[in-house]
């Protein structure tokens, strides 16, 4: 006679089977959601307006960005182009964000070149680096060219450039940010970073901003109409 029919499983087997049924399902891999179900997109835009990032954290993050951009480049110009492309999206987003955070009396989108550049050298520079830029100049040779000077760019303070790459200027990333702000303000421009070191300021960088012809033409029309903003 078969004695296995009708026999009950041992208590330990029943307990383990019940425990396996009570285990929560393993979430699929992907973006993690906090326990409160809120993400960075739910955060108030004014919440972190006074927050600061430590220089050590910034130096580490930026060095990783430079290392990433350095992969599979053909030369210094190619590396600077990649750094510029990394900074561009940040500039596009910073213009509307900073205007949103500005007081109502000054939260006006610039419509002319000089007010836009003054916004970049003051509001944008203070937001990124905690101080205004050192100089803003207009080229005496070309009416479509402007120059912003920074005597000690923060992005270059923790970068050690090899001798064979002494022409490299990692502030090309900041040039991309400036270019993004100009494009977001409907004033298309090409921005590049150049070494302009002096005896007093060996790490000085000059950002050359070259606006498109249509922007300069519109500037003349607005000036003729008396538009100042």
């Amino acid at each position: 006679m078969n004695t296995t029919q009708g026999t009950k499983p041992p208590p330990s087997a029943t307990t383990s089977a019940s425990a396996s049924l009570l285990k929560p399902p393993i979430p699929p891999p992907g973006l993690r959601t906090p326990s409160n179900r809120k993400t960075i997109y739910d955060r108030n835009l004014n919440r972190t307006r006074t927050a600061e990032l430590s220089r050590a954290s910034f130096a580490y993050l930026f060095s990783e960005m430079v290392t990433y951009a350095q992969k599979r480049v053909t030369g210094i110009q190619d590396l600077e182009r990649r750094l510029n492309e990394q900074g561009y999206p940040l500039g596009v987003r910073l213009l509307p964000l900073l205007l949103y955070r500005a007081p109502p009396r000054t939260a006006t989108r610039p419509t002319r070149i000089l007010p836009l550049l003054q916004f970049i050298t003051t509001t944008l520079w203070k937001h990124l680096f905690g101080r205004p830029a050192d100089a803003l100049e207009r080229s005496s040779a070309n009416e479509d060219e402007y120059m912003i000077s920074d005597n000690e760019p923060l992005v270059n303070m923790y970068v050690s450039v090899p001798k064979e790459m002494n022409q490299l200027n990692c502030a090309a990333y900041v040039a991309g940010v400036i270019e993004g702000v100009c494009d977001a303000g409907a004033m298309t421009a090409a921005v590049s970073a150049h070494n302009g070191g002096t005896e007093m300021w060996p790490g000085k960088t000059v950002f050359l901003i070259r606006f498109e012809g249509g922007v300069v033409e519109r500037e003349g029309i607005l000036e003729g109409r008396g538009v100042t903003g």
Side-chain angles (χ1 to χ4, degrees):
M1 185 174 70
N2 189 355
T3 59
T4 58
Q5 293 182 357
T7 58
K8 295 182 179 180
S12 59
T14 305
T15 305
S16 61
S18 302
S20 62
L21 293 175
L22 295 176
K23 287 183 179 179
I26 300 176
L31 180 64
R32 290 186 176 182
T33 303
S35 57
N36 58 4
R37 297 297 176 183
K38 291 185 178 181
T39 66
I40 191 174
Y41 300 105
D42 300 303
R43 184 181 301 172
N44 191 309
L45 290 176
N46 284 323
R47 180 177 175 182
T48 56
R49 62 185 305 174
T50 57
E52 294 183 357
L53 180 69
S54 69
R55 289 196 174 188
S57 300
F58 171 79
Y60 174 77
L61 290 173
F62 189 70
S63 65
E64 290 297 312
M65 292 172 60
V66 174
T67 302
Y68 177 80
Q70 197 173 359
K71 296 179 179 178
R72 296 185 297 277
V73 295
T74 57
I76 294 177
Q77 291 184 349
D78 193 20
L79 176 55
E80 290 184 342
R81 178 185 60 80
R82 289 196 175 194
L83 291 172
N84 185 292
E85 292 174 352
Q86 288 180 355
Y88 179 86
L90 177 61
V92 172
R93 289 165 176 77
L94 274 177
L95 178 62
L97 176 62
L98 295 178
L99 289 176
Y100 173 81
R101 290 178 173 176
R105 291 180 299 175
T106 59
T108 304
R109 184 180 293 268
T111 58
R112 295 192 57 182
I113 292 177
L114 188 57
L116 177 65
L117 295 179
Q118 290 173 338
F119 173 87
I120 291 173
T121 55
T122 55
T123 305
L124 176 68
W125 233 259
K126 289 179 180 178
H127 175 75
L128 293 177
F129 310 119
R131 58 175 179 81
D134 293 296
L136 170 62
E137 304 172 82
R138 182 176 182 177
S139 173
S140 57
N142 301 303
E143 63 177 1
D144 60 341
E145 292 183 354
Y146 292 79
M147 291 161 287
I148 297 176
S149 298
D150 192 326
N151 294 335
E152 291 182 311
L154 180 62
V155 293
N156 289 346
M157 291 181 64
Y158 305 99
V159 176
S160 179
V161 179
K163 292 182 179 180
E164 63 272 14
M165 301 179 67
N166 58 357
Q167 297 298 321
L168 172 66
N169 194 323
C170 291
Y173 176 81
V174 181
V177 176
I178 299 172
E179 190 170 325
V181 172
C182 292
D183 284 7
M187 302 184 199
T188 307
V191 186
S192 54
H194 303 271
N195 296 319
T198 62
E199 184 178 354
M200 180 177 295
W201 303 107
K204 180 179 179 179
T205 294
V206 178
F207 300 94
L208 178 62
I209 307 170
R210 184 179 292 107
F211 290 95
E212 288 189 350
V215 177
V216 178
E217 182 179 352
R218 183 182 61 188
E219 179 77 6
I221 295 174
L222 293 176
E223 183 177 3
R225 294 177 179 177
V227 178
T228 58

